[in-house]
Amino acid sequence: MTEESTKATSQGQQSKAVATTEPQKGQLIEGETTADPKKSKAAGQSTQTQLLTLAKFFCLDGALRPPQQQAPIDDRSERRERFNHNRRQQNIEKVIEKSLHYCSDSAISDKADPDWFDQFIEFAERVSNPTMQDLWAKILTGELTHPGAFSLKTLKAFKNLSLSDARLFGKVCSLGLKDNSKKNIRVISGVYQKPSLFNMLSKNREASISLNKFGLSYSEILTLADHHLLFSQETELPPLEKGEELALKYNGIPLIFKAKKADTVIKFYKLTPIGAELAQLIGDKPDDSFLSHMKSKLSHHLSC
């Protein structure tokens, strides 16, 4: 055998070896390990890599392995069921642990409804994000402290919120004003004076607050409306007479608006009853720049 034929044979054997060791498309490499998807960085990863990571983590990668490495379907199903059961158990235990830190040791007269608690468990056990778990823990503590504070409708609405939705709702709460009942939470969007012969042509008859500038566009209002947290249509307060006052609170800061002119109308977006219940989870976080902007825009019609 010549030197050239020997080299060609050697190269052919190497190519064949590479071909036999290369994994088939859609299969995991033998012995490959995947990390917890919550700890993996999605940046720089292909969609295929991300899918394989999720499938591995949630025990759904059985059919992606070479046939000789696949466990029986019954075993794979039991493994996934056991994983889901343990994961939900860990989730709800974490929520309970967090909630305990918010609870007080003071005695209360009313007891929480066991049926409410059972429904709470069903919703909260599917949540693994620490931030969302913390909010679920606050809901539980609030209900234990004041039974009836959070309705089942509110729980159902909250379970459908993503982390980004929850952050958006927190933004709305940071822009909202409460009345003395604390049940009516409004985001003021503008003010105007009802038209008359004396102000019809005035450029200052109406003023709008730039909510979009503070992270609340109309598309985001519609998103919150889809989750039954905020009404999508603007509403108006009854017209204020000249000198009439309106007392509100902005994130714990008392404000008294006094009408400078007759027939002054305040426009706003209002939180739904579900939104008002969930707003209890959000602490007072006033935005000084928004407060200054709001006062400036309302100053022609209202003193504050």
Side-chain angles (χ1 to χ4, degrees), residues 28-235:
L28 292 174
I29 300 175
E30 182 179 0
E32 178 183 348
T33 59
T34 53
D36 185 333
K38 293 184 293 183
K39 298 179 181 178
S40 300
K41 294 183 178 180
Q45 291 185 344
S46 67
T47 53
Q48 184 184 64
T49 300
Q50 293 182 52
L51 177 57
L52 292 176
T53 300
L54 289 169
K56 176 76 173 180
F57 182 74
F58 285 95
C59 303
L60 292 170
D61 60 322
L64 302 179
R65 296 183 176 278
Q68 65 273 17
Q69 296 182 13
Q70 293 182 12
I73 185 68
D74 290 342
D75 292 348
R76 303 202 306 262
S77 179
E78 290 178 4
R79 176 170 170 257
R80 176 170 172 261
E81 185 176 349
R82 184 169 60 252
F83 167 81
N84 287 334
H85 179 80
N86 291 339
R87 184 169 182 265
R88 291 174 185 175
Q89 182 70 18
Q90 289 174 345
N91 288 342
I92 192 61
E93 287 181 356
K94 194 65 179 178
V95 171
I96 298 297
E97 180 185 354
K98 287 174 176 284
S99 183
L100 191 60
H101 292 296
Y102 294 120
C103 290
S104 69
D105 55 2
S106 302
I108 56 175
S109 57
D110 297 327
K111 292 184 178 180
D113 182 0
D115 291 335
W116 183 96
F117 185 65
D118 183 62
Q119 192 72 69
F120 174 88
I121 293 173
E122 182 179 334
F123 294 153
E125 68 180 359
R126 294 178 176 271
V127 179
S128 60
N129 180 276
T131 300
M132 296 301 289
Q133 285 181 341
D134 198 57
L135 293 175
W136 278 104
K138 289 181 178 180
I139 288 177
L140 178 56
T141 303
E143 181 66 20
L144 292 174
T145 306
H146 302 288
F150 296 96
S151 65
L152 291 178
K153 284 185 178 181
T154 298
L155 294 187
K156 291 177 182 178
F158 188 66
K159 80 179 179 67
N160 292 324
L161 291 185
S162 65
L163 180 58
S164 61
D165 292 331
R167 286 172 175 164
L168 177 58
F169 180 67
K171 168 59 67 175
V172 169
C173 291
S174 72
L175 304 179
L177 287 85
K178 301 178 182 178
D179 60 15
N180 291 330
S181 70
K182 297 183 179 180
K183 294 182 179 180
N184 295 314
I185 304 177
R186 306 176 176 94
V187 179
I188 295 179
S189 56
V191 64
Y192 72 91
Q193 186 182 19
K194 294 181 70 174
S196 68
L197 292 175
F198 302 101
N199 64 22
M200 186 69 70
L201 301 178
S202 174
K203 295 181 180 179
N204 297 319
R205 191 176 67 82
E206 185 171 359
S208 298
I209 294 175
S210 304
L211 297 177
N212 189 57
K213 179 181 177 181
F214 296 93
L216 186 61
S217 65
Y218 189 66
S219 63
E220 289 167 325
I221 289 174
L222 293 179
T223 296
L224 293 174
D226 287 341
H227 288 293
H228 310 290
L229 301 178
L230 186 71
F231 292 111
S232 61
Q233 297 296 323
E234 278 185 318
T235 312

